Amino acid sequence: MFRPKVPTNPMPTGLVTQPSVEPIATVRHTPPPTPVAQSSTRPAVQLTPGTALALVGGGTAVVLVVGTVLVSMLLAVAISGVSVAVCAVILRSLLASGRTHR
């Protein structure tokens, strides 16, 4: 019961191929030349007053749209919660009045 059982390997079925051994060749590699940093001919990004104003206006529009969507979602959840609460009060009063009339 406490002796380990050594599994026996079954006989292989099908073709068994020996792994092929490839000879290892010694090849000397020369390191690639280090790249030289080249100066860019493109000018740096410059913000003109018109571009800055357009960026500020676009950012403001995005904030206003996202804020409107979030507030409307919050309002929809609040209205749904109030309507469920009103339905619960009405059902409770109907069930209570049904018990007293019997």
Side-chain angles (χ1 to χ4, degrees):
M1 178 175 160
F2 293 108
R3 282 189 166 174
K5 294 183 180 178
V6 179
T8 58
N9 290 333
M11 293 298 292
T13 58
L15 295 174
V16 177
T17 59
Q18 296 294 330
S20 63
V21 178
E22 296 181 11
I24 299 174
T26 305
V27 179
R28 294 185 184 222
H29 293 285
T30 58
T34 57
V36 178
Q38 297 178 356
S39 62
S40 176
T41 58
R42 207 171 77 174
V45 176
Q46 295 178 354
L47 290 178
T48 61
T51 307
L53 187 63
L55 286 175
V56 169
T60 304
V62 167
V63 167
L64 288 177
V65 168
V66 170
T68 303
V69 168
L70 291 177
V71 168
S72 65
M73 288 172 63
L74 179 65
L75 187 62
V77 169
I79 290 172
S80 300
V82 168
S83 66
V84 168
V86 168
C87 290
V89 168
I90 291 172
L91 283 174
R92 186 175 135 198
S93 67
L94 286 175
L95 290 174
S97 67
R99 289 183 191 145
T100 57
H101 285 95
R102 284 187 177 190

